[in-house]
Amino acid sequence: MSRDVIIACDFAGREELMSFLDRFGDRKPFVKIGMELFYSCGPDIVRELKGRGHKVFLDLKLHDIPNTVEKAMRSLSKLDVDMCNVHAGGGKKMMEAAVRGLTREDGSRPIILAVTQLTSTDERMMREELLINRSLEEVVEEYGKNTAASGIDGVVCSPLEAGKIHRACGDNFLTVTPGVRLAGDSADDQKRVTTPAKARELGSDYIVVGRSITKADNPLEAYERCCREFKGENMKERVAEGLLEIGAVFLRPDEPFTWASGIKSPVYCDNRLILTSPHIRDIVENAIAETVKREYPEAEVLMGTSTAGIAHAAIAGHLMNMPAGYVRSGNKDHGRNNKIEGKLEPGQKVVVVEDLISTAGSAITTVEALKEAGAEVLGIVSIFTYGMKEGLQKLEEAGVKNVSLTDFETVAQVALRTGYIKEEHMEILKKFINNPREAYK
């Protein structure tokens, strides 16, 4: 499953909708058609959008007796929509009937979701008007569990509730989240809102964005910004900015640091500082978890490198509800003489979590130890890599895949853009990466 941005096309009629979509040129964004357009234009509007190459989320929020919902879904199944929904408040039997009605004779069907609570609902309204005397979080979680038990694919919920839903119902249970605005935009009638970047961190699988795109002076530009923020296409820069902010990566081209090997380096990296900076730690650990999900979807265990990768593996493992352990640089000299700490079964699929890749020696040693123990090592997720030729070559020769959250080149570009370093420093930084032993000679 890939993350995606869905545009809420809340227009009065076909002409306004098509005029809006024409501004996207060859881009064919995923669009949401709600009651206003569907009741105005009928099923033909869906057929036309599908003919133009758009994915369609038909947002009708069916809520009726099970028999009626089943028959309505049977009609909607013929429209070839990609996603549709019901209200979870209709109960399990109604949701089960919706799945039956939507399933075609060949067994295929669109994604079906259930709405937990509308993002215009807050706890005061729920208690005083709807007379539900439980907390909003409790209600959303319980509705999510009912939805999963009914065979429905996921829920429509606030981004603020996505993480709780995943913990209660599993990582593969979808969270589609409206109430998303670009930073600085008005929340309008939404009560539980956040930004695309924050929705990503909170665990949303899809976000639904309306006015921030449809009312923008340049809708395509606003849409692409939402995609960058939500899909993590700017993750390298966000992590780089965070590392520079807290001094976890420290650039000093005019006064280089001296490594134990004698190499003079314009950069010093201490990712232990991430652990004592909660706002940056949240970004990094969520990025590790998301990278594992995206790059290594079969992963069963995270193993940190000793000592720097231990905490990062543990925190990311917690976020993913996945076992975590670590690998020592050598066997312990007492007790059971373990090199690998934590339960590891032969054949388990492992991802190594490393804080830093330079020459890649420690990372490869960790991979080899895990393979000797019978693990299937899928690859490495590292927070930062220098991108040194020596390290890249070692990884390639060992057949080890590494995916880094950010790298030296990105950090240098961010540092230049923010005024941390000057243009004349870039030459020495490039020399260092190409040949670290010769950069200051």
Side-chain angles (χ1 to χ4, degrees), residues 116-133:
T116 53
Q117 288 292 325
L118 299 174
T119 50
S120 58
T121 301
D122 59 16
E123 196 148 320
R124 181 208 60 78
M125 175 183 170
M126 197 176 69
R127 290 178 181 274
E128 295 180 11
E129 297 181 30
L130 304 181
L131 305 182
I132 300 175
N133 292 315

Side-chain angles (χ1 to χ4, degrees), residues 245-259:
E245 177 189 332
I246 63 175
V249 174
F250 192 84
L251 296 174
R252 203 168 68 187
D254 291 332
E255 299 177 60
F257 304 93
T258 302
W259 290 356

Side-chain angles (χ1 to χ4, degrees), residues 237-418:
E237 289 196 2
R238 290 176 60 229
V239 173
E241 288 167 357
L243 298 184
L244 285 167
E245 177 189 332
I246 63 175
V249 174
F250 192 84
L251 296 174
R252 203 168 68 187
D254 291 332
E255 299 177 60
F257 304 93
T258 302
W259 290 356
S261 62
I263 293 175
K264 291 187 180 298
S265 169
V267 58
Y268 181 75
C269 184
D270 182 4
N271 284 336
R272 291 168 295 189
L273 292 173
I274 294 169
L275 301 174
T276 53
S277 304
H279 65 300
I280 303 302
R281 185 180 65 208
D282 285 349
I283 291 172
V284 168
E285 308 306 347
N286 278 287
I288 292 173
E290 290 302 326
T291 301
V292 171
K293 290 178 187 177
R294 183 182 69 250
E295 299 290 338
Y296 309 107
E298 297 177 353
E300 297 173 311
V301 182
L302 300 183
M303 281 286 169
T305 54
S306 178
T307 58
I310 297 174
H312 299 298
I315 297 170
H318 172 72
L319 292 174
M320 300 173 69
N321 193 29
M322 183 180 291
Y326 66 93
V327 182
R328 298 174 179 274
S329 56
N331 291 79
K332 192 165 60 173
D333 60 4
H334 59 281
R336 298 172 63 187
N337 304 117
N338 289 346
K339 190 170 187 178
I340 297 172
E341 299 289 0
K343 188 175 181 181
L344 181 65
E345 301 289 348
Q348 278 192 305
K349 295 177 173 63
V350 175
V351 172
V352 173
V353 178
E354 173 69 278
D355 80 317
L356 170 67
I357 299 281
S358 54
T359 59
S362 63
I364 290 174
T365 298
T366 298
V367 169
E368 290 172 347
L370 290 165
K371 287 182 177 179
E372 287 174 7
E376 180 183 343
V377 181
L378 302 178
I380 301 169
V381 173
S382 55
I383 296 172
F384 176 79
T385 179
Y386 286 97
M388 292 179 177
K389 289 182 179 179
E390 181 180 347
L392 296 174
Q393 187 173 343
K394 282 183 181 178
L395 290 168
E396 185 178 354
E397 290 172 353
V400 176
K401 175 181 175 180
N402 170 62
V403 182
S404 291
L405 304 188
T406 195
D407 52 37
F408 183 82
E409 182 179 353
T410 303
V411 166
Q413 292 296 336
V414 170
L416 179 64
R417 188 186 73 226
T418 57

Side-chain angles (χ1 to χ4, degrees), residues 159-180:
L160 305 175
E161 296 144 4
K164 181 177 286 290
I165 289 291
H166 280 307
R167 287 190 291 275
C169 304
D171 286 338
N172 293 326
F173 189 72
L174 299 178
T175 53
V176 178
T177 61
V180 176

